[in-house]
Amino acid sequence: MALTLTDLQAPHGFERLVEAKDQSAGLHALICVHSTVLGPAAGGCRMWAYASPSEAIRDVTRLARGMTYKNAMADLGLGGGKSVIIGDARRDKTPDMMRAFGRAVQLLEGRYFTAEDVGISPADMAHAAEETEFAVGLSTASGDPSPWTAEGVFRCLLVGAQHVFGSNDLQGRRVLVQGLGHVGLSLAEKLHDAGADLIVTDINPDAVEDARVRLKADVCAPDAVFDQQMDIFAPCALGGVLTGDHVARLTARLVCGAANNQLATPTVGQDLISRNITYLPDYVVNAGGIISVASEIHGTGNGWRRARLDGIAGRVSQMLDRAAQHNRSTTEIADEMVETMLARNSAA
């Protein structure tokens, strides 16, 4: 069976949702383009063993919309999109599958640029790139985006510390880093170099032991995060970590981390305000990775990337000032900033 691309009914406000199938290659994927108002859509490809097609659709549409907001706030000249491949990345993924996925992306004729995400590596994306010119984040081009993501989170964390504590000096500040993957570990290294007292947690005992020895970090169990005394919480693992119950127990005054979709529900933003905890929206602060990928799309270099990181930090400062002035959540303010950009460009 050859590759087929079928248009599905996209949610209101979305531009396109397509299903890609190639039975011979084992491919079952969804590609969602949320918005191209600011430029071609860009966002990674995630491979996950979804329980049902409807669950995959919910995830890809949510992630695509998030990429529109992330790319807008980072001033990348890109819209938002996302793709998911349904399957177990450890068991089902093959080079032929990734090539078939590349052919599906190519059929969108440049409206969507793809890159790696959960379950997809630069090597996998290289296979996709054999069939499409719109696969980026390649190790031969922009390389591993993790250091750029960590650098962006770190810069925004310093802005948040200045706002909350009156100083961006992290000497002696207790910072809990939840998740020691590529981004979390890189962030922990930057925090250690800045003099922070680290607490770390991860389900990988080797990563925890490395941080304990090399970064002199205290260690807590994954289920004991919200029992710790800390000044700053940096979630860098899975999303949905901030629930109403967790916020009620959180001792940090600042939350700034790389994990996507940290708020379990939108109402958690108000819970944070009621406890006087400053939250820096994840899609704003963790944009360093897509900045790196965008530089590949636009053919720019490290100077362009660094300028975009500076821009994110500046917008975080504006966002915090507006939130404090109007007693509103930082998430609401950030969303408004993006919606203003989209409306302005839609009318142009």
Side-chain angles (χ1 to χ4, degrees):
M1 176 180 174
L3 173 70
T4 62
L5 210 65
T6 305
D7 275 281
L8 305 180
Q9 183 172 357
H12 177 71
F14 285 68
E15 293 184 10
R16 197 172 183 191
L17 175 64
V18 299
E19 182 178 44
K21 287 186 174 182
D22 187 325
Q23 187 172 349
S24 63
L27 177 71
H28 185 190
L30 296 163
I31 303 173
C32 180
V33 175
H34 174 255
S35 173
T36 57
V37 169
L38 299 177
C45 173
R46 172 174 297 191
M47 187 167 183
W48 195 259
Y50 295 100
S52 66
S54 60
E55 182 183 318
I57 289 172
R58 281 195 300 272
D59 202 33
V60 76
T61 52
R62 175 180 59 85
L63 292 167
R65 181 180 182 275
M67 289 308 303
T68 294
Y69 282 61
K70 179 181 293 190
N71 294 344
M73 281 294 277
D75 187 27
L76 300 184
L78 296 171
K82 204 77 175 184
S83 53
V84 299
I85 297 174
I86 300 172
D88 186 329
R90 294 167 295 182
R91 184 190 64 210
D92 303 329
K93 185 173 56 180
T94 66
D96 280 348
M97 174 188 287
M98 294 309 302
R99 293 185 190 101
F101 172 71
R103 291 194 293 274
V105 171
Q106 186 67 21
L107 288 173
L108 296 184
E109 300 179 325
R111 288 176 62 83
Y112 168 66
F113 282 83
T114 190
E116 64 267 19
D117 197 347
V118 175
I120 300 295
S121 69
D124 298 325
M125 201 47 57
H127 290 305
E130 294 174 25
E131 301 289 343
T132 181
E133 61 195 288
F134 306 113
V136 290
L138 306 177
S139 56
T140 55
S142 57
D144 183 4
S146 300
W148 292 96
T149 303
E151 177 64 19
V153 174
F154 180 69
R155 292 191 189 193
C156 292
L157 187 147
L158 293 178
V159 172
Q162 180 69 49
H163 176 84
V164 172
F165 304 113
S167 170
N168 62 9
D169 184 359
L170 299 181
Q171 192 73 36
R173 292 281 175 205
R174 287 180 63 79
V175 184
L176 194 154
V177 179
Q178 180 191 42
L180 293 172
H182 292 306
V183 175
L185 181 58
S186 181
L187 177 62
E189 290 168 345
K190 294 176 185 295
L191 292 165
H192 169 74
D193 292 344
D197 292 338
L198 286 174
I199 313 167
V200 299
T201 187
D202 195 281
I203 59 174
N204 182 345
D206 293 336
V208 169
E209 181 63 10
D210 172 54
R212 186 188 69 82
V213 173
R214 191 164 53 86
L215 305 180
K216 308 294 187 269
D218 291 334
V219 174
C220 78
D223 61 358
V225 166
F226 297 98
D227 299 323
Q228 308 303 308
Q229 289 294 319
M230 67 189 93
D231 298 306
I232 300 171
F233 178 42
C236 297
L238 297 177
V241 66
L242 289 171
T243 65
D245 176 64
H246 287 163
V247 169
R249 295 161 56 197
L250 185 63
T251 58
R253 292 184 56 200
L254 172 66
V255 176
C256 177
N260 287 310
N261 305 305
Q262 294 167 24
L263 305 187
T265 65
T267 59
V268 174
Q270 290 300 321
D271 296 335
L272 288 162
I273 289 177
S274 68
R275 294 218 51 230
N276 197 30
I277 299 171
T278 296
Y279 168 67
L280 303 188
D282 45 66
Y283 77 76
V284 179
V285 307
N286 68 9
I290 193 64
I291 287 173
S292 177
V293 168
S295 73
E296 187 179 337
I297 293 172
H298 295 311
T300 59
N302 285 348
W304 187 90
R305 294 172 175 172
R306 285 190 288 268
R308 287 333 182 258
L309 290 180
D310 289 341
I312 290 175
R315 278 182 281 283
V316 166
S317 182
Q318 295 172 18
M319 177 185 67
L320 288 169
D321 289 344
R322 292 186 193 178
Q325 181 181 355
H326 299 288
N327 193 30
R328 298 174 64 200
S329 74
T330 50
T331 303
E332 290 177 321
I333 297 298
D335 287 353
E336 275 188 7
M337 291 169 72
V338 170
E339 286 153 12
T340 299
M341 294 178 205
L342 294 174
R344 184 169 58 242
N345 283 272
S346 294

